[in-house]
Amino acid sequence: MPTPSSSPRGAGLSHAIVSELKQLIYSGEFKPGERLNEAALALRMGTSRGPIREAIKVLAGLGLVTAVANRGVFVRQLSLREMLEIYELRALVFGYAADRACEHFTDEHRKQMEALLDAMDAACEAEDGTLYYELNLQFHSLILEISNNRRAHQAYDDYVKELHLVRRKYFNAPGNMRRSNAEHRAIFDAIVASNKARARAAAERHVHAGRARLLANFEAPLQGR
């Protein structure tokens, strides 16, 4: 007989808890550095501690929480230096991926990217930052997939996971989504044209521009260097 966490119902419950905890972290109700209490969360969400524990493991995999031996689990706290270093590496890997995508681009890839770009435009019009953020992740992931380099894709995913905590909150800033998607279209146009140098440059500029938008919209400085 399957355990509650491995049954379809248990898996669904864990997924719902992951989604709720992500939103609590993204909204700032659970702040960077704050300890997550399993018992209190189980009481709040009307469940046992098992699904909470499973959800926390998922959040750790996403880079949103950190386990500290003999102390517990805490919402991830990213320093300014860490964030800037991650952005530098993201720019390099994303530029490489856009360059390589020119070699493997197909008509099917074109359709997928056009659909994502149009969907992001619609999210901009609706001022739906949550939807835009998810579509943005899919767009970047698709370029990494087209690059046909699994190691690069894994490395990029790891960088993205570390930045979720600071990036998600600022996608609703006025104009940010539109500027971001205009940059996506520049990358797309370069890949369609098979212009590897232009694709690499556009992809790197996009990541650096995202970093600048993020820094410009911080309500308070990140933790120390």
Side-chain angles (χ1 to χ4, degrees):
M1 177 179 294
T3 62
S5 61
S6 64
S7 68
R9 182 175 177 275
L13 177 60
S14 292
H15 179 75
I17 291 171
V18 168
S19 295
E20 186 170 350
L21 288 175
K22 282 169 64 176
Q23 290 308 311
L24 289 169
I25 291 171
Y26 290 151
S27 69
E29 183 165 344
F30 292 160
K31 294 177 171 51
E34 185 173 343
R35 182 174 179 273
L36 297 183
N37 185 299
E38 283 185 10
L41 288 173
L43 182 63
R44 173 174 180 160
M45 298 183 183
T47 184
S48 65
R49 293 175 67 168
I52 299 293
R53 195 170 297 121
E54 292 300 314
I56 286 174
K57 287 179 184 177
V58 174
L59 295 179
L62 291 172
L64 294 179
V65 301
T66 304
V68 179
N70 302 318
R71 291 186 57 203
V73 177
F74 298 81
V75 177
R76 175 79 183 277
Q77 205 163 15
L78 199 64
S79 72
L80 176 59
R81 177 173 179 171
E82 286 177 312
M83 189 194 80
L84 295 177
E85 288 177 349
I86 293 167
Y87 261 100
E88 287 296 327
L89 293 172
R90 271 192 69 215
L92 291 173
V93 176
F94 195 49
Y96 163 82
D99 178 317
R100 285 292 302 271
C102 294
E103 301 175 12
H104 305 285
F105 200 65
T106 67
D107 285 341
E108 182 56 33
H109 292 144
R110 179 174 185 151
K111 292 175 185 175
Q112 289 177 280
M113 291 180 76
E114 286 177 333
L116 284 169
L117 289 166
D118 290 344
M120 282 187 280
D121 277 340
C124 290
E125 291 302 315
E127 298 186 353
D128 189 337
T130 297
L131 176 58
Y132 184 89
Y133 185 73
E134 295 302 326
L135 293 167
N136 171 72
L137 293 178
Q138 292 177 40
F139 180 83
H140 283 241
S141 184
L142 179 58
I143 290 177
L144 268 296
E145 181 183 324
I146 297 170
S147 77
N148 201 34
N149 186 315
R150 285 181 289 183
R151 288 296 184 94
H153 200 167
Q154 182 59 60
Y156 191 79
D157 283 350
D158 289 343
Y159 300 145
V160 169
K161 287 174 184 176
E162 289 195 84
L163 291 170
H164 275 318
L165 188 58
V166 290
R167 290 176 71 215
R168 173 62 192 87
K169 185 176 180 181
Y170 295 97
F171 262 75
N172 289 325
N176 278 1
M177 292 184 286
R178 288 181 177 82
R179 285 190 286 270
S180 171
N181 212 31
E183 292 158 10
H184 288 156
R185 288 192 179 277
I187 299 167
F188 170 73
D189 290 343
I191 293 174
V192 168
S194 296
N195 189 322
K196 297 175 70 172
R198 184 153 60 95
R200 181 188 288 264
E204 290 184 0
R205 279 198 305 272
H206 173 56
V207 174
H208 288 307
R211 178 186 63 186
R213 285 190 288 270
L214 186 67
L215 289 172
N217 283 284
F218 272 119
E219 296 168 357
L222 287 172
Q223 295 302 306
R225 291 177 144 349

